Amino acid sequence: MAARHKLLVVTIIIFCLFSLSQPVQAADNKLYFNGKDISDEVETIQQEGELLIKARQFAKLINAELKWQPAIKTLRLTGSNGEVVKLMVGSPYIQIRKNAIKSKTGLVLNEGHTFLPLAGVIEAFGYLIEFNREEKEVYVFKPETVIKEICWSEDGNSLEVIVDELPPYRIVKTDNPNKIILEIDKARVANEFTDNVSNNNFYLQVKNIADSALLRLIITSKYPIPFNRDGGISEEEDRLVLSFLPQITNIAWTKNDMLMIEANGNINKPEVLYLEDPRRMVIDIPSLMFNELDINLPDNEWVKDIRVSQFKYDPVTLRIVLEMKNNDILQEIPREAGDMIAFKPAKETVVDNLQYKNGQIRFDSTAELVPDLFLLEDPARLVINLFNAERGASFLEEIELDKQLVRKIRTARFDEQTIRIVADLAEMTGYGWREEKIEQGYRYLIELKNKFSAINLVESPDYQDINILLTGGVDYEIKKFSYPHRIVVDIEGAVDNTENLVLPEPKGLIQDIRTSRYELEGKELVRLVFELKEFNGYEVKTDPATKKINIHLPKEEKIALPKQGDIIVIDAGHGGFDPGAIGQNGLEEKDVNLEVALRVAQKLKEAGQKVVLTRSSDKFISLKQRVRLANSLPAKLFISIHANSFNNNISSGTETYYSDTNTNAAASKKIAQLIQEEMTEKVKLADRGIKEESFYVVKYTRMPAALLEIAFISNPHEEVLLGQSTFQEKVAAAVNEAILRYLQLEVAE
Amino acid sequence: MKNRKYVYLLLIIAVILLLVGLYQIRQNNQLVESKLYFATPDAMYLVPENRLVEKDQLYLNTIKELLVGPENSELRKTVPDGVVVNSVSLDGKLATVDFNEALIEKHWGGSSGELITIFSIVNTLTQFSEIEEVKITIAGETRETLAGHMGLDDSFEFNQEIVK
């Protein structure tokens, strides 16, 4: 008995001493869990600077199973994703699976309850913790996105943020052009994350803004970053891509006396001017970024010195100044690659015999030259600059033509070095030029309009492809005729040079190829006819107005054309700097559209459908980008979500649009009808009916497409509805139902 | 008697002068009746309203009148306040009408809102037999869209469906 008492007394004394040396006190921190203040719901204590939380409350919070084994004083937590964490009273170690991390206190017993160190344990369950020591606030949140890596793209023109799942994000506006701030919601960096961004010029900072549960990536540069805040960021499958304007990478005077400028991306057409006293040549290159580089300028008879600077930021312009030794001029030579331009000293020449014939502008030159050609709009003009040139006797100032292509040709001395030819065109057309050696020098032929560069047939085991290649973009129309089966391609805006073209030998499915000129509704067309041995359907795989037309023909009937696919594209209208319509109380259409689109996508996914959203966050995408995305997918439906507006507060109701010019007009009308029906039945606003209108996204998508105008945001009553989540949910349910009904009908057919 | 004759003569001269003057004013500033398409308040339809427009620069003046808005209080304006028409030019049967930035910036948005604006302009201009198609430009440039639904690359023809 006595021994037992003694033991008890000793235990009590030790316990008291223990308690004295390590005072336990209730923590006065504020604790936020996933952005919610839960300070009053959980008990926390502070010991040795460690914040401890009551174990049972903690387990409940994160939905973990708790097991207390009194015999070995061990607490075991099993998380919903199978995470296992063990703590033992008296041991500072927290065992997480096979690893152990050390905390200051370990598991603490206080008034008969176990308390565990919050910071060490919560991270094992995939949460992030952030202390705001001064204000004594603790934030715990679960990141939904893991940033695996941030790195430069191969060409160094874009930064790629590689993530496990695309998060909501935004570019934060800053007044500092040297800085880009990208905010990503509920994100954390991966454990193996490495900074592959920082280098001589750039510095990456990753800041966890715990109180708003977001991660901020701050990229700072020594130089202003030419980054386009609207549209400079794009989403790819597993990454966010921040695209930069290209940088200059090399500038050199070469052995064969040329000035060469290289960049790590496309170099736009430079503007050149000459200044006197001292004589300088100034080359301004738009949208090119400065980079510190060594200029390779060996001694030569033309250029004394080269200076490079970022001349302007708005718009971004790089300036190269050459200090010239004499009165020479350098002129750009035709490019071989988009990321390189070269200039060489121009020879003095006399140009003469300017004339126009059959879509061709022609002149002669005593020395070889490189004409600088470009088009101007409104009115359409083709400008031809000839450097270091003098006009001869038959190089008239004005030639009146009034021909079908060219109305008039004017020539003038543009500046001291340049003769300029301006051809007033009937409309914008393509052009090309070539050089011929003649007795007295060289002849230059500038040809207007696009031409065919090749027509070829490509055979694969299951398909036959027809490719029509042109020198420039053209509009075209493809028709199918029967008896015999023929594919007819009508091309507008091209010169018929097919006689000079070697047409391919008919093979495979193609029995014969014919070409002809054709006039339709006053338009001159070139018609190509491909006669087929048999016909099993066809597919046009190219966009309107292209340089390459591709027609895809299956060889056998059973090889059905690639199905339209099974993806449903949901398009939330507007976004980013384009808010769409704005209600009287400030509700922005883009937010409603996105909210409804996300809900529709969620419902469709639950119904087992594959869904792609054109945007899943508040960002701007153009109409063209929306269509391009949809057309690049094997998509079977495209649904655009919008809210309507007018200049009064009484217009009201729901309407759905489709386009007769869509490649699937009938199916488009069907889905529009179903959406309108479901909306009228479930959402019960005024029924404005379905309407045919050539809105961009329903016209150019190559799958059945409809555009829903849910209600009028300009009507205060409907604005209130549009902002309510219950209403949004109802709309999403109606759209979902309409889509599912459409799919069933499709199956039935 | 002699005096009275004199007065008559003066009176006749005055009347002749007045008539000649009026005729000249009318010659310089002939008015023609044009149709201006305005919207019904539910943003569903366009309804034409007749108005006298100066014949000199008829297309431009017609659009200027359209910008003023309807006289009929049951119809709605179709173009936002602050919009200015810069020019209307004709190339063949295609009229290009150029507005200032306000047409985009001050626009109320919405598919219906956008259709009403575009087709009130297009239908108003295509009433003239010389015009078949209308293209809308902003500050001399072709824009992708007016309010985020309709592409402005295209030109438009008279829209019968939208007329009540």
Side-chain angles (χ1 to χ4, degrees):
Chain A
M1 271 304 253
R4 253 183 137 180
H5 270 271
K6 232 183 218 166
L7 192 67
L8 194 66
V9 168
V10 170
T11 314
I12 288 168
I13 290 169
I14 289 172
F15 188 77
C16 286
L17 280 173
F18 194 76
S19 306
L20 275 177
S21 65
Q22 298 180 350
V24 171
Q25 60 181 80
D28 56 353
N29 299 68
K30 282 256 174 220
L31 182 60
Y32 293 87
F33 186 76
N34 278 340
K36 191 179 149 217
D37 184 357
I38 53 159
S39 318
D40 298 334
E41 295 164 33
V42 294
E43 268 177 71
T44 53
I45 55 171
Q46 194 103 44
Q47 190 176 313
E48 289 181 61
E50 184 91 68
L51 181 72
L52 296 126
I53 180 168
K54 198 182 235 181
R56 290 201 182 275
Q57 288 172 337
F58 174 80
K60 207 173 148 199
L61 207 59
I62 62 158
N63 237 336
E65 197 188 312
L66 181 144
K67 208 171 154 198
W68 171 239
Q69 296 166 279
I72 48 170
K73 291 210 164 88
T74 298
L75 186 85
R76 186 190 156 99
L77 286 164
T78 313
S80 46
N81 293 325
E83 309 92 341
V84 177
V85 173
K86 274 195 223 169
L87 298 106
M88 198 197 259
V89 178
S91 159
Y93 289 99
I94 306 170
Q95 194 185 328
I96 300 164
R97 290 191 180 225
K98 285 182 178 166
N99 302 318
I101 58 165
K102 199 174 173 185
S103 68
K104 286 178 183 139
T105 58
L107 191 66
V108 170
L109 267 174
N110 185 34
E111 294 170 358
H113 295 284
T114 47
F115 282 76
L116 47 82
L118 180 63
V121 175
I122 194 104
E123 280 172 19
F125 293 95
Y127 286 79
L128 286 184
I129 184 159
E130 185 85 2
F131 290 90
N132 193 339
R133 304 253 175 216
E134 279 157 39
E135 289 169 44
K136 297 207 157 186
E137 286 170 352
V138 183
Y139 300 94
V140 173
F141 63 92
K142 185 149 203 174
E144 287 169 7
T145 306
V146 178
I147 298 174
K148 295 181 182 164
E149 195 187 350
I150 305 179
C151 56
W152 290 102
S153 63
E154 250 171 68
D155 59 7
N157 287 337
S158 55
L159 259 182
E160 301 186 343
V161 181
I162 302 171
V163 294
D164 60 342
E165 205 174 319
L166 281 181
Y169 64 88
R170 67 206 65 83
I171 296 286
V172 182
K173 286 210 168 74
T174 77
D175 292 332
N176 184 349
N178 297 20
K179 194 181 256 186
I180 300 177
I181 302 176
L182 172 64
E183 263 182 14
I184 302 180
D185 284 349
K186 292 194 183 162
R188 69 174 174 92
V189 290
N191 298 333
E192 64 278 11
F193 175 83
T194 44
D195 174 5
N196 292 321
V197 171
S198 301
N199 56 28
N200 288 345
N201 289 339
F202 287 91
Y203 172 62
L204 170 76
Q205 232 181 323
V206 181
K207 260 193 190 166
N208 192 7
I209 314 295
D211 50 355
S212 344
L214 55 83
L215 202 68
R216 200 169 271 174
L217 306 177
I218 304 162
I219 298 146
T220 331
S221 170
K222 273 197 243 172
Y223 308 104
I225 307 173
F227 171 74
N228 191 355
R229 266 147 193 89
D230 288 317
I233 186 158
S234 61
E235 290 170 21
E236 276 167 34
E237 216 168 310
D238 63 341
R239 60 196 66 192
L240 298 173
V241 181
L242 284 92
S243 305
F244 296 95
L245 298 173
Q247 282 179 303
I248 185 167
T249 53
N250 185 26
I251 180 162
W253 189 264
T254 64
K255 274 184 214 148
N256 46 359
D257 287 317
M258 285 204 301
L259 175 75
M260 205 172 72
I261 301 163
E262 285 176 286
N264 57 6
N266 191 49
I267 300 180
N268 286 334
K269 188 180 166 57
E271 243 179 70
V272 176
L273 66 124
Y274 290 89
L275 300 172
E276 302 300 328
D277 303 312
R279 175 146 170 113
R280 283 152 294 157
M281 176 188 180
V282 179
I283 305 170
D284 281 339
I285 308 176
S287 304
L288 192 63
M289 186 182 167
F290 179 76
N291 193 9
E292 279 199 38
L293 41 84
D294 296 323
I295 294 168
N296 183 4
L297 182 65
D299 194 35
N300 67 83
E301 59 175 288
W302 287 276
V303 178
K304 224 188 283 177
D305 189 23
I306 300 177
R307 294 186 297 273
V308 183
S309 66
Q310 193 83 63
F311 174 56
K312 271 191 290 185
Y313 293 112
D314 188 25
V316 170
T317 309
L318 186 88
R319 173 165 280 190
I320 299 167
V321 179
L322 309 182
E323 217 167 293
M324 307 295 286
K325 289 189 176 159
N326 310 302
N327 257 358
D328 295 307
I329 71 156
L330 302 182
Q331 73 173 116
E332 196 185 340
I333 61 169
R335 293 192 195 197
E336 278 162 20
D339 57 359
M340 193 180 94
I341 52 173
F343 292 82
K344 77 176 189 193
K347 289 181 203 139
E348 274 178 34
T349 179
V350 177
V351 288
D352 212 347
N353 298 328
L354 175 67
Q355 44 183 288
Y356 173 84
K357 213 175 156 187
N358 294 338
Q360 233 177 35
I361 298 168
R362 192 174 95 177
F363 63 88
D364 299 339
S365 168
T366 50
E368 202 176 354
L369 55 73
V370 186
D372 172 37
L373 288 92
F374 54 95
L375 284 169
L376 290 176
E377 259 177 302
D378 297 319
R381 282 156 293 160
L382 174 67
V383 179
I384 308 159
N385 283 334
L386 308 173
F387 299 108
N388 236 8
E390 292 291 335
R391 278 180 290 186
S394 301
F395 204 90
L396 301 179
E397 284 199 349
E398 200 166 301
I399 308 176
E400 280 285 349
L401 292 162
D402 215 20
K403 292 280 164 67
Q404 200 182 357
L405 285 170
V406 183
R407 305 229 186 278
K408 194 197 274 183
I409 294 174
R410 294 167 284 148
T411 75
R413 172 155 289 289
F414 180 64
D415 59 29
E416 227 176 292
Q417 291 83 26
T418 317
I419 297 289
R420 175 171 276 193
I421 306 173
V422 179
D424 292 329
L425 306 176
E427 58 184 332
M428 299 296 275
T429 65
Y431 61 84
W433 67 275
R434 65 196 156 90
E435 180 188 86
E436 275 173 14
K437 183 87 187 77
I438 54 168
E439 226 173 283
Q440 299 85 6
Y442 296 86
R443 169 161 295 165
Y444 292 89
L445 301 139
I446 291 136
E447 217 145 331
L448 294 166
K449 273 210 173 182
N450 297 311
K451 293 186 303 184
F452 292 88
S453 52
I455 297 172
N456 55 50
L457 303 176
V458 181
E459 236 182 314
S460 58
D462 295 334
Y463 294 99
Q464 170 86 57
D465 280 277
I466 301 169
N467 294 320
I468 302 162
L469 296 109
L470 292 124
T471 52
V474 287
D475 281 323
Y476 62 93
E477 201 174 342
I478 295 175
K479 296 172 191 141
K480 160 73 180 54
F481 292 104
S482 300
Y483 314 108
H485 291 300
R486 283 158 298 161
I487 296 276
V488 172
V489 187
D490 284 336
I491 296 165
E492 201 191 319
V495 171
D496 183 10
N497 63 329
T498 47
E499 279 165 41
N500 310 324
L501 215 61
V502 184
L503 294 178
E505 279 300 307
K507 64 176 176 180
L509 281 182
I510 315 292
Q511 192 154 311
D512 192 11
I513 304 172
R514 295 188 296 271
T515 70
S516 61
R517 249 159 294 182
Y518 187 77
E519 197 162 318
L520 187 73
E521 294 165 354
K523 287 175 190 161
E524 267 185 29
L525 303 170
V526 178
R527 172 167 278 193
L528 304 176
V529 182
F530 299 88
E531 204 175 299
L532 307 176
K533 282 187 192 135
E534 55 180 305
F535 178 71
N536 305 304
Y538 75 101
E539 190 192 11
V540 182
K541 300 195 85 173
T542 34
D543 293 330
T546 179
K547 278 162 75 165
K548 181 187 171 186
I549 304 169
N550 171 254
I551 306 162
H552 199 52
L553 302 158
K555 283 187 180 168
E556 284 173 54
E557 206 167 356
K558 62 173 185 265
I559 313 165
L561 281 163
K563 269 191 234 106
Q564 269 202 323
D566 51 4
I567 291 173
I568 298 166
V569 183
I570 304 291
D571 173 51
H574 310 281
F577 64 79
D578 169 21
I582 302 173
Q584 282 178 15
N585 298 312
L587 184 65
E588 297 193 348
E589 185 197 340
K590 63 174 184 178
D591 297 329
V592 177
N593 298 344
L594 179 61
E595 199 50 54
V596 173
L598 289 171
R599 285 170 195 266
V600 173
Q602 180 62 32
K603 287 186 190 304
L604 286 170
K605 279 181 195 163
E606 281 164 15
Q609 298 297 325
K610 284 189 204 160
V611 184
V612 170
L613 286 154
T614 54
R615 68 177 178 102
S616 55
S617 64
D618 182 17
K619 69 162 190 174
F620 176 76
I621 31 171
S622 68
L623 298 176
K624 214 173 263 171
Q625 283 172 307
R626 292 169 201 263
V627 169
R628 204 181 297 151
L629 171 73
N631 286 347
S632 73
L633 295 168
K636 63 179 165 189
L637 262 184
F638 178 94
I639 310 294
S640 189
I641 312 268
H642 284 258
N644 216 338
S645 176
F646 192 47
N647 61 4
N648 62 17
N649 55 18
I650 59 163
S651 308
S652 66
T654 303
E655 60 193 24
T656 311
Y657 290 92
Y658 67 98
S659 169
D660 269 348
T661 38
N662 181 290
T663 48
N664 297 282
S668 296
K669 187 174 181 180
K670 186 79 225 165
I671 183 65
Q673 232 157 17
L674 290 170
I675 292 175
Q676 188 66 18
E677 238 176 77
E678 287 294 331
M679 283 292 291
T680 312
E681 199 188 299
K682 291 202 167 69
V683 183
K684 299 190 175 77
L685 293 179
D687 179 7
R688 296 168 69 93
I690 62 165
K691 294 177 175 179
E692 195 282 318
E693 233 19 284
S694 293
F695 287 133
Y696 198 94
V697 295
V698 291
K699 178 178 178 183
Y700 291 108
T701 39
R702 287 200 295 261
M703 68 225 58
L707 185 151
L708 165 66
E709 288 285 354
I710 306 167
F712 277 75
I713 203 166
S714 51
N715 177 317
H717 169 65
E718 294 190 354
E719 180 187 3
V720 170
L721 289 176
L722 285 165
Q724 287 170 352
S725 56
T726 46
F727 180 82
Q728 293 164 353
E729 186 63 21
K730 245 195 278 180
V731 174
V735 175
N736 176 54
E737 190 57 38
I739 293 172
L740 296 180
R741 272 178 68 193
Y742 171 87
L743 298 177
Q744 267 167 5
L745 281 177
E746 214 186 22
V747 171
E749 271 165 25
Chain B
M1 272 310 255
K2 208 177 181 183
N3 248 346
R4 215 164 159 185
K5 244 185 192 169
Y6 199 57
V7 170
Y8 275 129
L9 197 67
L10 272 177
L11 210 66
I12 289 166
I13 290 169
V15 167
I16 289 170
L17 279 177
L18 192 73
L19 283 175
V20 168
L22 275 176
Y23 180 73
Q24 270 177 350
I25 289 170
R26 214 178 133 70
Q27 276 291 305
N28 289 345
N29 219 344
Q30 249 184 38
L31 296 174
V32 246
E33 200 169 59
S34 284
K35 277 183 196 159
L36 307 175
Y37 285 84
F38 294 110
T40 54
D42 57 1
M44 286 280 260
Y45 300 105
L46 292 171
V47 176
E49 183 178 291
N50 289 328
R51 195 171 301 176
L52 289 173
V53 176
E54 283 176 27
K55 196 179 177 185
D56 168 47
Q57 294 197 300
L58 177 63
Y59 309 144
L60 187 70
N61 286 329
T62 303
I63 294 298
K64 280 183 178 165
E65 282 301 320
L66 184 74
L67 301 188
V68 171
E71 278 161 5
N72 178 347
S73 61
E74 280 166 25
L75 296 178
R76 299 288 304 176
K77 210 165 179 277
T78 55
V79 181
D81 290 332
V83 172
V84 175
V85 56
N86 296 323
S87 63
V88 182
S89 57
L90 195 61
D91 180 12
K93 296 247 169 190
L94 172 75
T96 302
V97 52
D98 188 52
F99 293 97
N100 65 348
E101 288 281 346
L103 187 64
I104 286 181
E105 271 164 23
K106 298 208 169 160
H107 200 269
W108 37 76
S111 287
S112 297
E114 187 176 27
L115 284 177
I116 289 289
T117 304
I118 287 177
F119 286 107
S120 81
I121 295 164
V122 171
N123 282 7
T124 298
L125 279 175
T126 47
Q127 73 181 296
F128 304 113
S129 58
E130 311 79 47
I131 300 178
E132 268 175 17
E133 281 174 61
V134 177
K135 185 170 161 61
I136 296 171
T137 58
I138 307 293
E141 281 175 29
T142 297
R143 292 297 182 82
E144 185 182 42
T145 179
L146 172 59
H149 317 91
M150 207 57 133
L152 288 186
D153 281 348
D154 301 330
S155 54
F156 303 99
E157 291 173 17
F158 186 82
N159 184 336
Q160 185 61 53
E161 304 288 297
I162 204 166
V163 179
K164 196 173 188 175

